[in-house]
Amino acid sequence: MTCRPHFATPTRQTPRFAETGPAQSEDRLKALGAAAASSGSVAMFHVIGSTPEAATLDDALQHRPPVAVELVTMAELRDARDALTTAAGDQLSAVTLGTPHASLDELRRYAVMLGGRRAHPDVRLLISTGRDTLAAAARTDVTERLRDAGAELL
C-alpha cells in the first residue's frame, strides 16, 4: 500500500481501510487480511475501492460519520515491527514466504526475483502454498526454478 493507511470505523466491529491507493490485488488483500486476523481483533474489514461494499469511503461508512479515525504512520509500523522481532544480530537463518499460502502469481514472482540465484547455504528458504497452487505451478517451470534456488515448497 503506497499511501498512509488509516482506519475509519462507523462501528467498533468493522474497520474500513482508506488511502491504500487504487484497487488492491487479491494478494495484497490476502496479506492485509492475514495481518489483521493474526492480531486477533479484526475478523472483517473493508478496503476502499477494493471490496464491493466499499467503492467509496462514504459507501463504506454507510453515509454516517466514523466513530474513530486512526492514522498509522510509517514510524509506528517500524516500531511495531521492531517490537515484534525476536531475531538477534545480523544473520538470517531462515526466510519464509507465502504465509498465508502463496498464490501462483506470487510463486512466479519469487522465481523471477531469484533470477537463477541460489539461497545462501546457511539460510533456509521456505515457501508455503496450497496443494492446488503447487500442482498448477508444477505444470510450469516455476517449482523447478524455485527448488533449483534452494527453496523448500511447503
Side-chain angles (χ1 to χ4, degrees):
M1 296 176 194
T2 56
C3 298
R4 296 182 325 232
H6 71 270
F7 310 102
T9 309
T11 67
R12 294 271 178 219
Q13 291 89 14
T14 309
R16 274 59 168 178
F17 292 87
E19 292 189 43
T20 57
Q24 299 297 308
S25 71
E26 183 177 319
D27 287 332
R28 297 287 287 176
L29 293 172
K30 177 181 66 177
L32 177 61
S38 69
S39 73
S41 61
V42 178
M44 183 174 127
F45 61 88
H46 296 294
V47 176
I48 309 309
S50 293
T51 53
E53 304 83 0
T56 67
L57 181 59
D58 195 45
D59 289 341
L61 294 173
Q62 301 169 349
H63 311 286
R64 294 181 291 183
V67 294
V69 174
E70 296 286 336
L71 176 64
V72 181
T73 68
M74 285 306 295
E76 289 172 315
L77 291 174
R78 285 186 196 102
D79 288 345
R81 177 204 58 205
D82 293 345
L84 295 171
T85 297
T86 59
D90 295 334
Q91 298 296 105
L92 290 175
S93 60
V95 172
T96 182
L97 302 170
T99 42
H101 298 81
S103 68
L104 185 56
D105 285 341
E106 287 171 315
L107 292 176
R108 288 182 183 127
R109 284 195 305 268
Y110 300 154
V112 168
M113 285 189 278
L114 287 163
R117 295 173 299 207
R118 285 196 54 80
H120 189 280
D122 295 337
V123 178
R124 287 183 71 188
L125 175 57
L126 308 166
I127 302 176
S128 300
T129 192
R131 288 186 187 108
D132 291 344
T133 303
L134 187 57
R139 291 190 289 273
T140 70
D141 67 341
V142 172
T143 54
E144 181 180 350
R145 290 167 51 202
L146 291 170
R147 287 187 173 121
D148 286 348
E152 297 176 54
L153 300 172
L154 311 173

